[in-house]
Every structure is written in structure tokens, then in C-alpha cells.
Amino acid sequence: MADDMVVLYADETHIRSYQALRATCAEVGKQKQIPTYGHHASVTLFGAVNVLDGKVVVQQASACNTGSFLEFVQRILQNVSGEIRSFSLR
């Protein structure tokens, strides 16, 4: 590995303010009622950690789409010191 290389691990997650209803047990003929909040708010978080120095870059987005991901990549590039000659997604 060259001295000017940076290794990053990146991922995204979705935080939701509602519960995912899967399955439940109930008496035959008596459907169980499960209260919910009535709205489906969520937020997406993108994050990357530099494995060489431990620095972390995090960005919140209202949606997980191409535009918000590209904004995150641009933020990473701004936070990485030195000149970047190439960028590889793996």
C-alpha cells in the first residue's frame, strides 16, 4: 500500500420511528390489536471510518438515493487529507 492511500469502510442505515410488524400468536378467532403511531418517519445515516487513523465521517439524509450518496462521497473527499488520484468503490 502506498503512503498516499486511504482505506475507508462505509455503510448506511435507516432509522425508523415505527415498528415493523411481523407475526404474533393469538387465540383462534381473536385477532390481536397492536397499536401503532400512525406516521412513518425515518432518517438515513451514511458513515465511513478511516481504518488507518480511526477518523469517522457521518452524514444524515432524508432519503437513501443516488443524490444523497453522492453528497456523502463528496463529504468524504473533503475530509480526506492530501490529494486523491483515484477513488474505488468495492
Side-chain angles (χ1 to χ4, degrees):
M1 192 166 128
D3 291 337
D4 61 347
M5 292 181 80
V6 176
V7 178
L8 301 170
Y9 287 108
D11 203 358
E12 84 284 339
T13 189
H14 312 285
I15 301 169
R16 297 174 174 90
S17 68
Y18 57 93
Q19 301 161 353
L21 303 177
R22 302 282 183 215
T24 187
C25 296
E27 292 181 46
V28 175
K30 294 183 180 181
Q31 183 176 1
K32 185 167 180 98
Q33 297 297 313
I34 301 172
T36 61
Y37 296 108
H39 65 277
H40 297 289
S42 67
V43 66
T44 296
L45 289 178
F46 293 99
V49 61
N50 183 330
V51 298
L52 302 176
D53 63 12
K55 291 183 182 177
V56 175
V57 177
V58 178
Q59 182 167 314
Q60 179 179 331
S62 60
C64 184
N65 56 31
T66 304
S68 59
F69 177 72
L70 290 176
E71 288 175 15
F72 175 62
V73 171
Q74 290 171 346
R75 184 168 181 179
I76 289 173
L77 294 175
Q78 291 171 357
N79 283 284
V80 174
S81 62
E83 182 181 334
I84 296 177
R85 297 182 206 154
S86 65
F87 187 81
S88 175
L89 295 175
R90 295 181 192 218

Coordinates of all heavy atoms in Angstrom, one line a residue:
M1 N 0.8 -1.2 0.0 CA 0.0 0.0 0.0 C 0.9 1.2 0.0 O 1.8 1.3 0.8 CB -0.9 0.0 1.2 CG -2.0 1.0 1.2 SD -3.2 0.6 2.5 CE -3.2 2.2 3.2
A2 N 0.6 2.2 -0.9 CA 1.3 3.4 -1.0 C 1.1 4.3 0.2 O 0.0 4.3 0.8 CB 1.0 4.1 -2.3
D3 N 2.0 5.3 0.5 CA 1.9 6.2 1.6 C 0.7 7.1 1.4 O 0.1 7.6 2.4 CB 3.1 7.0 1.8 CG 4.3 6.2 2.3 OD1 4.0 5.1 2.8 OD2 5.5 6.6 2.0
D4 N 0.3 7.4 0.2 CA -0.8 8.4 0.0 C -2.2 7.7 -0.2 O -3.1 8.4 -0.5 CB -0.5 9.2 -1.3 CG -0.4 8.4 -2.5 OD1 -0.3 7.2 -2.4 OD2 -0.4 9.0 -3.6
M5 N -2.3 6.4 0.1 CA -3.6 5.7 0.0 C -4.3 5.8 1.3 O -3.8 5.9 2.4 CB -3.3 4.3 -0.3 CG -2.8 4.0 -1.7 SD -2.6 2.3 -2.1 CE -4.2 1.9 -2.5
V6 N -5.7 5.8 1.2 CA -6.6 5.9 2.3 C -7.5 4.7 2.2 O -8.1 4.5 1.1 CB -7.4 7.2 2.3 CG1 -8.4 7.2 3.5 CG2 -6.4 8.4 2.5
V7 N -7.8 4.0 3.3 CA -8.7 2.8 3.2 C -9.9 3.2 4.1 O -9.7 3.6 5.3 CB -8.0 1.6 3.8 CG1 -9.0 0.4 3.8 CG2 -6.8 1.2 2.9
L8 N -11.1 3.2 3.5 CA -12.3 3.5 4.3 C -13.3 2.3 4.2 O -13.4 1.7 3.2 CB -13.0 4.7 3.6 CG -12.2 6.0 3.5 CD1 -12.9 7.0 2.7 CD2 -12.0 6.6 4.9
Y9 N -14.0 2.1 5.3 CA -15.1 1.2 5.4 C -16.3 2.1 5.5 O -16.4 3.0 6.4 CB -15.0 0.3 6.5 CG -14.0 -0.8 6.3 CD1 -12.8 -0.8 7.1 CD2 -14.2 -1.9 5.4 CE1 -11.9 -1.8 6.9 CE2 -13.3 -2.8 5.2 CZ -12.1 -2.8 6.0 OH -11.2 -3.8 5.8
A10 N -17.3 1.9 4.6 CA -18.5 2.8 4.6 C -19.8 1.9 4.6 O -19.8 0.8 4.1 CB -18.5 3.7 3.4
D11 N -20.8 2.4 5.2 CA -22.1 1.7 5.2 C -23.2 2.8 5.4 O -22.9 3.9 5.7 CB -22.2 0.7 6.3 CG -23.2 -0.4 6.0 OD1 -23.9 -0.4 5.0 OD2 -23.2 -1.3 6.8
E12 N -24.5 2.3 5.3 CA -25.6 3.2 5.5 C -26.6 2.4 6.4 O -26.6 1.2 6.4 CB -26.2 3.7 4.3 CG -27.3 2.8 3.6 CD -26.6 1.7 2.8 OE1 -25.5 1.7 2.4 OE2 -27.4 0.7 2.6
T13 N -27.5 3.2 7.1 CA -28.5 2.5 7.9 C -29.7 3.4 7.8 O -29.6 4.6 7.5 CB -28.1 2.3 9.3 OG1 -29.1 1.5 10.0 CG2 -27.9 3.6 10.1
H14 N -30.9 2.8 8.1 CA -32.1 3.5 8.1 C -32.7 3.4 9.5 O -33.0 2.3 10.0 CB -33.1 3.0 7.1 CG -32.4 2.8 5.7 ND1 -32.2 3.8 4.9 CD2 -32.0 1.7 5.1 CE1 -31.6 3.3 3.8 NE2 -31.4 2.0 3.9
I15 N -33.0 4.6 10.1 CA -33.6 4.6 11.5 C -35.0 5.0 11.3 O -35.3 6.0 10.8 CB -32.8 5.6 12.4 CG1 -31.3 5.2 12.5 CG2 -33.5 5.6 13.8 CD1 -30.5 6.2 13.1
R16 N -35.9 4.1 11.8 CA -37.3 4.3 11.6 C -38.0 4.6 13.0 O -37.6 4.0 14.0 CB -38.0 3.1 10.9 CG -37.4 2.9 9.5 CD -37.9 1.6 8.9 NE -37.5 1.5 7.5 CZ -36.4 0.9 7.1 NH1 -35.6 0.4 8.0 NH2 -36.1 0.8 5.8
S17 N -39.0 5.4 13.0 CA -39.8 5.7 14.2 C -41.0 4.8 14.4 O -41.9 5.1 15.1 CB -40.2 7.1 14.3 OG -41.1 7.4 13.3
Y18 N -41.1 3.8 13.6 CA -42.2 2.9 13.7 C -41.7 1.4 13.8 O -40.6 1.1 13.4 CB -43.2 3.0 12.5 CG -42.5 2.8 11.1 CD1 -42.5 1.5 10.5 CD2 -41.9 3.8 10.5 CE1 -41.9 1.3 9.3 CE2 -41.3 3.6 9.2 CZ -41.3 2.4 8.7 OH -40.7 2.2 7.5
Q19 N -42.5 0.6 14.3 CA -42.2 -0.8 14.5 C -42.6 -1.6 13.3 O -43.6 -1.4 12.7 CB -42.9 -1.3 15.7 CG -42.5 -0.6 17.0 CD -43.5 -0.8 18.1 OE1 -44.5 -1.4 17.9 NE2 -43.2 -0.3 19.3
A20 N -41.7 -2.5 12.9 CA -42.0 -3.5 11.9 C -42.9 -4.6 12.5 O -42.5 -5.3 13.4 CB -40.8 -4.0 11.2
L21 N -44.1 -4.7 12.0 CA -45.0 -5.8 12.5 C -44.7 -7.0 11.7 O -44.8 -7.1 10.5 CB -46.4 -5.3 12.3 CG -46.8 -4.0 13.0 CD1 -48.2 -3.6 12.8 CD2 -46.5 -4.1 14.5
R22 N -44.4 -8.1 12.4 CA -44.1 -9.4 11.7 C -45.2 -10.4 11.9 O -46.1 -10.6 11.1 CB -42.8 -9.9 12.2 CG -41.6 -9.0 12.0 CD -41.2 -9.0 10.6 NE -40.0 -8.2 10.5 CZ -39.7 -7.5 9.5 NH1 -40.4 -7.5 8.4 NH2 -38.6 -6.7 9.5
A23 N -45.2 -11.0 13.0 CA -46.2 -12.1 13.4 C -46.4 -12.1 14.9 O -45.5 -11.7 15.6 CB -45.7 -13.4 12.8
T24 N -47.5 -12.6 15.3 CA -47.8 -12.8 16.7 C -48.7 -14.0 16.9 O -49.3 -14.4 15.9 CB -48.4 -11.5 17.3 OG1 -48.5 -11.6 18.7 CG2 -49.8 -11.2 16.7
C25 N -48.8 -14.4 18.1 CA -49.7 -15.5 18.4 C -51.0 -14.9 19.1 O -50.9 -14.0 19.8 CB -49.1 -16.5 19.4 SG -47.6 -17.3 18.8
A26 N -52.1 -15.5 18.8 CA -53.4 -15.1 19.3 C -54.3 -16.3 19.3 O -54.2 -17.2 18.6 CB -54.0 -13.9 18.5
E27 N -55.4 -16.1 20.2 CA -56.4 -17.2 20.2 C -57.1 -17.3 18.9 O -57.3 -16.2 18.2 CB -57.4 -16.9 21.3 CG -56.8 -17.0 22.7 CD -57.9 -16.7 23.7 OE1 -59.0 -17.3 23.6 OE2 -57.6 -16.0 24.7
V28 N -57.5 -18.5 18.5 CA -58.2 -18.6 17.2 C -59.5 -17.8 17.3 O -60.3 -17.8 18.2 CB -58.6 -20.1 17.0 CG1 -59.4 -20.3 15.8 CG2 -57.3 -21.0 16.9
G29 N -59.7 -17.0 16.2 CA -60.9 -16.1 16.1 C -60.8 -14.8 16.8 O -61.7 -14.0 16.7
K30 N -59.7 -14.5 17.5 CA -59.5 -13.3 18.2 C -58.2 -12.6 17.7 O -57.1 -12.9 18.3 CB -59.4 -13.5 19.7 CG -60.7 -14.0 20.3 CD -60.7 -14.1 21.8 CE -62.0 -14.6 22.4 NZ -61.9 -14.7 23.8
Q31 N -58.3 -11.7 16.8 CA -57.1 -11.1 16.2 C -56.5 -10.1 17.2 O -57.3 -9.3 17.8 CB -57.4 -10.4 14.9 CG -56.2 -9.7 14.3 CD -56.6 -9.1 12.9 OE1 -57.7 -9.1 12.5 NE2 -55.6 -8.5 12.3
K32 N -55.3 -10.2 17.5 CA -54.6 -9.3 18.5 C -54.5 -7.9 17.8 O -54.1 -7.7 16.7 CB -53.2 -9.8 18.8 CG -52.6 -9.0 19.9 CD -51.4 -9.8 20.5 CE -50.7 -9.0 21.5 NZ -51.1 -9.4 22.8
Q33 N -54.8 -6.8 18.6 CA -54.7 -5.5 18.2 C -53.3 -4.9 18.6 O -53.0 -5.0 19.8 CB -55.8 -4.6 18.7 CG -57.2 -5.0 18.2 CD -57.3 -4.9 16.7 OE1 -57.0 -3.9 16.2 NE2 -57.9 -5.9 16.1
I34 N -52.6 -4.4 17.7 CA -51.2 -3.8 18.0 C -51.3 -2.3 17.7 O -51.4 -2.0 16.5 CB -50.1 -4.5 17.2 CG1 -50.1 -6.0 17.6 CG2 -48.8 -3.9 17.6 CD1 -49.2 -6.8 16.7
P35 N -51.2 -1.4 18.7 CA -51.2 0.0 18.4 C -50.0 0.5 17.7 O -48.9 0.0 18.0 CB -51.3 0.6 19.8 CG -50.8 -0.4 20.7 CD -51.1 -1.7 20.1
T36 N -50.1 1.4 16.8 CA -49.0 2.0 16.1 C -49.1 3.5 16.2 O -50.2 4.0 16.5 CB -48.9 1.5 14.6 OG1 -50.1 1.9 14.0 CG2 -48.8 0.0 14.5
Y37 N -48.1 4.2 15.8 CA -48.1 5.7 15.9 C -48.8 6.4 14.8 O -49.1 7.5 15.0 CB -46.6 6.2 15.9 CG -45.9 5.7 17.1 CD1 -44.9 4.7 17.0 CD2 -46.1 6.1 18.4 CE1 -44.2 4.2 18.1 CE2 -45.5 5.7 19.5 CZ -44.5 4.7 19.4 OH -43.8 4.3 20.5
G38 N -49.0 5.8 13.7 CA -49.8 6.4 12.6 C -48.9 7.3 11.7 O -49.4 7.9 10.7
H39 N -47.6 7.3 11.9 CA -46.7 8.0 10.9 C -45.5 7.2 10.7 O -45.1 6.4 11.6 CB -46.4 9.4 11.3 CG -45.6 9.5 12.6 ND1 -46.2 9.4 13.8 CD2 -44.3 9.6 12.8 CE1 -45.2 9.5 14.8 NE2 -44.1 9.6 14.2
H40 N -44.8 7.4 9.6 CA -43.7 6.6 9.2 C -42.5 7.5 9.0 O -42.0 7.6 7.9 CB -44.0 5.7 8.0 CG -45.1 4.7 8.2 ND1 -44.9 3.6 9.0 CD2 -46.3 4.7 7.8 CE1 -46.1 2.9 9.0 NE2 -46.9 3.6 8.3
A41 N -42.0 8.1 10.0 CA -40.8 9.0 9.9 C -39.6 8.1 9.9 O -39.5 7.1 10.6 CB -40.8 10.0 11.1
S42 N -38.6 8.5 9.1 CA -37.3 7.8 9.1 C -36.2 8.7 8.7 O -36.5 9.8 8.2 CB -37.4 6.6 8.1 OG -37.5 7.1 6.8
V43 N -35.0 8.3 9.0 CA -33.8 9.1 8.6 C -32.8 8.1 8.1 O -32.7 6.9 8.6 CB -33.3 10.0 9.7 CG1 -32.8 9.1 10.9 CG2 -32.2 10.9 9.3
T44 N -32.0 8.5 7.2 CA -30.9 7.6 6.7 C -29.5 8.2 7.2 O -29.4 9.4 7.2 CB -30.9 7.6 5.2 OG1 -32.1 7.0 4.7 CG2 -29.7 6.8 4.6
L45 N -28.7 7.4 7.7 CA -27.3 7.8 8.1 C -26.3 7.1 7.2 O -26.4 5.9 7.0 CB -27.1 7.4 9.5 CG -27.8 8.3 10.6 CD1 -27.4 7.7 12.0 CD2 -27.5 9.7 10.5
F46 N -25.4 7.8 6.6 CA -24.2 7.3 5.9 C -23.0 7.5 6.8 O -22.9 8.5 7.5 CB -24.0 8.1 4.6 CG -25.0 7.9 3.6 CD1 -26.0 8.9 3.4 CD2 -25.0 6.8 2.8 CE1 -27.0 8.7 2.4 CE2 -26.0 6.6 1.8 CZ -27.0 7.6 1.6
G47 N -22.1 6.5 6.8 CA -21.0 6.6 7.7 C -19.8 6.0 7.0 O -19.9 5.0 6.3
A48 N -18.6 6.5 7.3 CA -17.3 5.9 6.9 C -16.3 6.0 7.9 O -16.3 7.1 8.6 CB -16.9 6.5 5.6
V49 N -15.4 5.0 8.1 CA -14.3 5.1 9.0 C -13.0 4.9 8.3 O -12.9 4.0 7.5 CB -14.5 4.1 10.2 CG1 -14.6 2.7 9.8 CG2 -13.4 4.3 11.3
N50 N -12.0 5.7 8.6 CA -10.7 5.5 8.0 C -10.0 4.5 8.9 O -9.8 4.7 10.1 CB -10.0 6.9 8.0 CG -8.6 6.8 7.4 OD1 -7.9 5.8 7.4 ND2 -8.2 7.9 6.9
V51 N -9.7 3.3 8.3 CA -9.1 2.3 9.1 C -7.6 2.5 9.5 O -7.1 1.9 10.4 CB -9.1 0.9 8.3 CG1 -10.6 0.5 8.1 CG2 -8.4 1.0 7.0
L52 N -7.0 3.5 8.9 CA -5.6 3.8 9.3 C -5.5 4.8 10.5 O -4.6 4.6 11.3 CB -4.9 4.5 8.1 CG -4.9 3.6 6.8 CD1 -4.2 4.3 5.7 CD2 -4.2 2.3 7.1
D53 N -6.5 5.7 10.6 CA -6.4 6.7 11.7 C -7.6 6.7 12.6 O -7.7 7.4 13.6 CB -6.0 8.1 11.2 CG -7.1 8.7 10.3 OD1 -8.2 8.2 10.2 OD2 -6.7 9.7 9.7
G54 N -8.7 6.0 12.2 CA -9.9 5.9 13.0 C -10.9 7.1 12.9 O -11.9 7.2 13.6
K55 N -10.6 8.0 12.0 CA -11.5 9.2 11.8 C -12.8 8.7 11.2 O -12.7 7.9 10.3 CB -10.8 10.3 11.0 CG -9.7 11.0 11.7 CD -9.1 12.1 10.8 CE -7.9 12.7 11.5 NZ -7.3 13.7 10.7
V56 N -13.9 9.3 11.6 CA -15.2 8.9 11.1 C -15.9 10.1 10.4 O -15.8 11.2 10.9 CB -16.1 8.5 12.3 CG1 -17.5 8.1 11.9 CG2 -15.4 7.3 13.0
V57 N -16.5 9.8 9.3 CA -17.4 10.8 8.6 C -18.8 10.3 8.6 O -19.0 9.1 8.2 CB -16.9 11.0 7.2 CG1 -17.8 12.0 6.4 CG2 -15.4 11.5 7.2
V58 N -19.7 11.1 9.1 CA -21.1 10.7 9.2 C -22.0 11.8 8.5 O -21.7 13.0 8.7 CB -21.6 10.5 10.6 CG1 -23.1 10.1 10.7 CG2 -20.8 9.4 11.3
Q59 N -23.0 11.4 7.8 CA -23.9 12.3 7.2 C -25.3 11.8 7.3 O -25.6 10.7 6.9 CB -23.5 12.6 5.7 CG -24.4 13.6 5.0 CD -23.9 14.1 3.7 OE1 -22.7 14.4 3.6 NE2 -24.7 14.2 2.7
Q60 N -26.2 12.7 7.7 CA -27.7 12.4 7.7 C -28.3 12.8 6.4 O -28.0 13.8 5.9 CB -28.3 13.1 8.9 CG -29.8 12.9 9.1 CD -30.3 13.7 10.3 OE1 -29.6 13.9 11.2 NE2 -31.6 14.0 10.2
A61 N -29.3 12.0 6.0 CA -30.0 12.3 4.8 C -31.5 11.9 5.0 O -31.8 11.1 5.8 CB -29.5 11.5 3.6
S62 N -32.3 12.6 4.2 CA -33.8 12.4 4.3 C -34.2 11.2 3.5 O -35.3 10.6 3.7 CB -34.6 13.6 3.9 OG -34.3 13.9 2.6
A63 N -33.3 10.8 2.6 CA -33.6 9.6 1.7 C -32.3 8.9 1.4 O -31.3 9.5 1.4 CB -34.3 10.0 0.5
C64 N -32.4 7.6 1.1 CA -31.3 6.8 0.7 C -31.4 6.7 -0.9 O -32.0 5.8 -1.4 CB -31.3 5.5 1.4 SG -29.8 4.5 0.9
N65 N -30.8 7.6 -1.6 CA -30.8 7.6 -3.0 C -29.5 8.0 -3.6 O -28.6 8.3 -2.9 CB -32.0 8.5 -3.5 CG -31.9 9.9 -3.1 OD1 -30.8 10.4 -2.8 ND2 -33.0 10.6 -2.9
T66 N -29.4 8.0 -4.9 CA -28.1 8.3 -5.6 C -27.6 9.7 -5.2 O -26.4 9.9 -4.9 CB -28.3 8.2 -7.1 OG1 -28.8 6.9 -7.4 CG2 -27.0 8.5 -7.8
G67 N -28.5 10.7 -5.2 CA -28.1 12.1 -4.9 C -27.5 12.2 -3.5 O -26.4 12.8 -3.3
S68 N -28.2 11.6 -2.5 CA -27.7 11.7 -1.1 C -26.4 10.9 -0.9 O -25.5 11.3 -0.2 CB -28.7 11.3 -0.1 OG -29.1 10.0 -0.3
F69 N -26.2 9.8 -1.6 CA -25.0 9.0 -1.6 C -23.8 9.8 -2.2 O -22.7 9.9 -1.6 CB -25.1 7.7 -2.2 CG -23.9 6.9 -2.2 CD1 -23.4 6.3 -1.1 CD2 -23.1 6.7 -3.4 CE1 -22.2 5.6 -1.1 CE2 -21.9 6.0 -3.4 CZ -21.5 5.4 -2.2
L70 N -24.1 10.5 -3.3 CA -23.0 11.3 -3.9 C -22.6 12.4 -3.1 O -21.4 12.8 -3.0 CB -23.5 11.7 -5.3 CG -23.6 10.6 -6.4 CD1 -24.1 11.2 -7.7 CD2 -22.2 9.9 -6.6
E71 N -23.6 13.1 -2.4 CA -23.2 14.1 -1.4 C -22.3 13.6 -0.3 O -21.4 14.2 0.1 CB -24.5 14.7 -0.8 CG -25.3 15.6 -1.7 CD -26.6 16.0 -1.1 OE1 -26.8 15.9 0.1 OE2 -27.5 16.5 -1.9
F72 N -22.6 12.4 0.1 CA -21.8 11.7 1.2 C -20.4 11.5 0.6 O -19.4 11.7 1.3 CB -22.4 10.4 1.6 CG -21.6 9.7 2.6 CD1 -21.3 10.2 3.8 CD2 -21.2 8.4 2.3 CE1 -20.5 9.5 4.7 CE2 -20.4 7.7 3.2 CZ -20.1 8.2 4.4
V73 N -20.3 11.0 -0.6 CA -18.9 10.7 -1.1 C -18.2 12.0 -1.3 O -17.0 12.1 -1.0 CB -19.1 10.0 -2.5 CG1 -17.7 10.0 -3.2 CG2 -19.6 8.6 -2.3
Q74 N -18.8 13.1 -1.7 CA -18.2 14.4 -1.8 C -17.7 14.9 -0.4 O -16.6 15.4 -0.2 CB -19.1 15.5 -2.4 CG -19.3 15.2 -3.8 CD -20.4 16.1 -4.4 OE1 -21.2 16.8 -3.7 NE2 -20.5 16.2 -5.7
R75 N -18.5 14.6 0.7 CA -18.1 15.0 2.0 C -16.9 14.2 2.4 O -16.0 14.7 3.1 CB -19.2 14.8 3.0 CG -18.9 15.2 4.4 CD -20.1 15.3 5.2 NE -19.7 15.7 6.6 CZ -20.6 15.9 7.5 NH1 -21.8 15.7 7.3 NH2 -20.2 16.3 8.7
I76 N -16.8 12.9 2.1 CA -15.7 12.1 2.4 C -14.4 12.7 1.7 O -13.4 12.8 2.4 CB -15.9 10.6 2.0 CG1 -16.9 9.9 2.9 CG2 -14.5 9.9 2.0 CD1 -17.2 8.5 2.4
L77 N -14.5 13.0 0.5 CA -13.4 13.6 -0.3 C -12.9 14.9 0.3 O -11.7 15.1 0.4 CB -13.8 13.8 -1.7 CG -14.0 12.5 -2.5 CD1 -14.5 12.8 -3.9 CD2 -12.8 11.6 -2.5
Q78 N -13.8 15.7 0.9 CA -13.4 16.9 1.5 C -12.7 16.7 2.8 O -11.8 17.4 3.2 CB -14.7 17.8 1.8 CG -15.3 18.4 0.6 CD -16.7 19.0 0.9 OE1 -17.1 19.0 2.1 NE2 -17.3 19.6 -0.1
N79 N -13.0 15.6 3.5 CA -12.4 15.3 4.8 C -11.1 14.5 4.8 O -10.4 14.4 5.8 CB -13.4 14.5 5.7 CG -14.5 15.4 6.3 OD1 -14.2 16.2 7.2 ND2 -15.7 15.4 5.7
V80 N -10.9 13.9 3.6 CA -9.6 13.1 3.5 C -8.5 14.1 3.2 O -8.6 14.9 2.2 CB -9.8 12.1 2.4 CG1 -8.4 11.4 2.1 CG2 -10.8 11.1 2.8
S81 N -7.4 14.0 3.9 CA -6.3 15.0 3.7 C -5.5 14.5 2.5 O -5.4 13.3 2.3 CB -5.5 15.1 5.0 OG -4.9 13.8 5.3
G82 N -4.9 15.4 1.9 CA -4.0 15.1 0.7 C -4.8 15.0 -0.6 O -6.0 15.1 -0.6
E83 N -4.1 14.8 -1.6 CA -4.6 14.8 -3.0 C -5.1 13.4 -3.3 O -4.4 12.4 -3.0 CB -3.6 15.2 -4.0 CG -4.1 15.2 -5.4 CD -3.1 15.6 -6.4 OE1 -2.1 16.4 -6.0 OE2 -3.2 15.2 -7.6
I84 N -6.3 13.2 -3.8 CA -6.8 11.9 -4.2 C -6.7 11.7 -5.7 O -7.3 12.5 -6.4 CB -8.3 11.8 -3.7 CG1 -8.3 11.8 -2.2 CG2 -8.9 10.5 -4.2 CD1 -9.7 11.8 -1.6
R85 N -6.0 10.7 -6.1 CA -5.8 10.5 -7.5 C -6.8 9.6 -8.1 O -7.2 9.7 -9.3 CB -4.4 9.9 -7.7 CG -3.3 10.8 -7.3 CD -2.0 10.2 -7.6 NE -1.0 10.8 -6.7 CZ 0.1 10.2 -6.4 NH1 0.4 9.0 -6.8 NH2 0.9 10.8 -5.6
S86 N -7.4 8.7 -7.3 CA -8.4 7.8 -7.8 C -9.3 7.4 -6.6 O -8.9 7.5 -5.5 CB -7.8 6.5 -8.4 OG -7.1 5.8 -7.4
F87 N -10.5 6.9 -7.0 CA -11.5 6.5 -6.0 C -12.1 5.2 -6.4 O -12.5 5.1 -7.6 CB -12.5 7.6 -5.8 CG -13.5 7.4 -4.7 CD1 -13.2 7.7 -3.4 CD2 -14.8 6.8 -5.0 CE1 -14.0 7.5 -2.4 CE2 -15.6 6.6 -3.9 CZ -15.3 6.9 -2.7
S88 N -12.2 4.2 -5.5 CA -12.7 2.9 -5.9 C -13.7 2.5 -4.9 O -13.5 2.6 -3.7 CB -11.6 1.9 -5.9 OG -12.1 0.6 -6.2
L89 N -14.9 2.1 -5.4 CA -16.0 1.6 -4.5 C -15.9 0.1 -4.6 O -16.0 -0.5 -5.7 CB -17.4 2.1 -5.0 CG -17.6 3.6 -4.9 CD1 -18.9 3.9 -5.5 CD2 -17.5 4.0 -3.4
R90 N -15.9 -0.6 -3.5 CA -15.8 -2.1 -3.5 C -16.9 -2.6 -2.6 O -17.2 -2.1 -1.6 CB -14.5 -2.6 -3.1 CG -13.5 -2.2 -4.1 CD -12.1 -2.7 -3.8 NE -11.1 -2.1 -4.6 CZ -10.1 -2.7 -5.1 NH1 -9.9 -3.9 -4.8 NH2 -9.3 -2.1 -5.9

